[in-house]
Amino acid sequence: MNLVSDFRVVLEKLHRRHLWKNFTDQNQLADNECGLVVQGGIGDHILVCGLANAVAQKHGSHVVVAAHPKYEFIIELFSSVRRFISLPARLTREVVGAEEIKCGRFAYAYYRGNDLFRVAGYNNFQLIDAFKCLLGLKPENMLEHPRLPCSEELAAAETYLAQHQLTRGKIAILCTEAGLTPTGNVGVAFWERLSRTLTERGITPILNQGPKSSQIVGVRSLAIPLPLFRAVALTAGHFYGVRSGICDLVCDLDCHKCIIYPKTKYWFGSVYAWANFTKYCLARPPSEIILDYASEQALLSNIRLGLISENSS
């Protein structure tokens, strides 16, 4: 039985090498291009692409990103990424590429294990610092700001919301789930009470329907297309979400935002990493509120104060 299992592992490894060789043969890089293989979720792709400018400056090159095709819209937000290449489906979860970034080849721009990742949260070391280490950058290297939604995207967002009988500036997008960060005790009951609070203020709550979203009583849900999400959030006017990659996607937008950090922690072996380790900045506007979940009552009170302040300004 073990022999059969070992044989399958060897075959998988050979097959992976074959796929990777075919990919690199078909997508050869120029001598002045650095290839970055990006994996993970939305936030991971934003971090790598946001640091592409620093990578390009360090190596005197252009940056090419290879990733799952569903993340191509993120690459298009950053001018420092020269072009995008879709990874074959079989390679989107595999560790492929060199460890060190060099011109003319692809490097793996994600974790090869949990060692660096689980340091996040210790002594103010954050995810952005982990990615700087992965990419061989210096602590002072800064993230590039993503481009703002263009007029065509804003017009498409207006049309999208109008099709659902929603009024611009009076909509609150609720993002209740996260792909990696545990949502802790920020449950459905909280979102139902928040929705009532928003409705009392004349704001229509809309649940951004994800694969794990639980329905909120009395709240409509929409599966907002990710490539249009930034424009929709900006047009909607309000965003509320537990800490996730979606929060990174909208964090630079000048709309009213409340990012909630659940009272929870990760467990990796013998190391605790608190879930509020990613409060990094892309130049956050003053309209954003970042709240730790201490108690539901305190959180809702803070949100009400924010709404009152906004309505009086």
Side-chain angles (χ1 to χ4, degrees):
M1 189 66 174
N2 288 336
L3 184 60
V4 172
S5 178
D6 291 344
F7 182 66
R8 286 177 178 170
V9 170
V10 171
L11 282 179
E12 276 287 313
K13 189 173 182 179
L14 291 173
H15 182 54
R16 184 168 62 247
R17 286 182 179 178
H18 176 70
L19 288 174
W20 179 242
K21 185 177 186 308
N22 283 345
F23 174 80
T24 54
D25 286 347
Q26 294 168 13
N27 298 281
Q28 294 187 11
L29 300 175
D31 292 338
N32 66 342
E33 291 181 327
C34 290
L36 301 179
V37 178
V38 189
Q39 296 188 7
I42 291 173
D44 302 301
H45 286 72
I46 289 174
L47 281 174
V48 173
C49 293
L51 291 168
N53 184 52
V55 172
Q57 290 181 2
K58 176 180 177 179
H59 296 276
S61 64
H62 300 287
V63 171
V64 177
V65 166
H68 193 294
K70 69 180 178 181
Y71 295 118
E72 184 173 2
F73 78 96
I74 295 176
I75 279 72
E76 294 173 349
L77 298 176
F78 296 91
S79 61
S80 296
V81 179
R82 186 180 199 181
R83 58 192 176 98
F84 172 82
I85 303 174
S86 294
L87 272 179
R90 182 62 183 78
L91 294 176
T92 54
R93 294 183 178 272
E94 300 291 346
V95 178
V96 289
E99 291 190 23
E100 185 180 355
I101 298 173
K102 287 185 179 180
C103 289
R105 73 179 188 185
F106 289 94
Y108 189 63
Y110 198 59
Y111 305 103
R112 292 179 179 267
N114 281 330
D115 290 345
L116 185 58
F117 175 71
R118 66 185 184 181
V119 176
Y122 176 75
N123 199 25
N124 293 321
F125 185 88
Q126 300 184 24
L127 273 186
I128 187 172
D129 302 309
F131 273 94
K132 287 178 182 179
C133 289
L134 286 171
L135 300 174
L137 300 175
K138 297 178 180 179
E140 60 266 25
N141 286 128
M142 302 297 292
L143 285 162
E144 176 188 359
H145 293 185
R147 67 166 178 81
L148 292 173
C150 64
S151 57
E152 290 82 3
E153 290 167 334
L154 291 172
E158 289 265 13
T159 301
Y160 178 82
L161 293 174
Q163 287 172 344
H164 294 91
Q165 294 79 50
L166 295 168
T167 305
R168 65 167 298 151
K170 293 294 183 180
I171 308 156
I173 299 173
L174 309 182
C175 289
T176 64
E177 63 174 297
L180 179 61
T181 309
T183 55
N185 48 358
V186 185
V188 174
F190 163 75
W191 293 108
E192 289 177 350
R193 292 185 178 92
L194 172 60
S195 297
R196 289 195 291 271
T197 298
L198 292 167
T199 301
E200 289 168 3
R201 297 288 175 182
I203 298 168
T204 303
I206 295 294
L207 172 66
N208 179 50
Q209 186 66 54
K212 302 176 185 176
S213 299
S214 299
Q215 190 59 48
I216 302 172
V217 175
V219 175
R220 280 194 289 166
S221 61
L222 295 176
I224 303 171
L226 284 174
L228 195 60
F229 199 95
R230 282 168 60 81
V232 170
L234 193 57
T235 305
H238 302 260
F239 174 92
Y240 292 81
V242 290
R243 173 67 187 89
S244 69
I246 292 286
C247 299
D248 299 334
L249 189 61
V250 302
C251 74
D252 65 307
L253 299 179
D254 191 14
C255 60
H256 184 86
K257 299 187 297 296
C258 180
I259 313 302
I260 301 164
Y261 284 77
K263 197 68 175 178
T264 186
K265 52 194 171 185
Y266 292 120
W267 170 252
F268 289 116
S270 60
V271 180
Y272 280 106
W274 295 95
N276 61 355
F277 57 65
T278 48
K279 294 178 182 176
Y280 63 84
C281 292
L282 281 176
R284 297 183 183 279
S287 55
E288 176 171 291
I289 304 170
I290 295 179
L291 297 173
D292 288 315
Y293 190 107
S295 73
E296 183 173 308
Q297 184 176 0
L299 189 57
L300 286 171
S301 295
N302 279 322
I303 289 172
R304 288 191 187 98
L305 288 173
L307 289 170
I308 292 170
S309 174
E310 184 191 54
N311 289 343
S312 62
S313 59

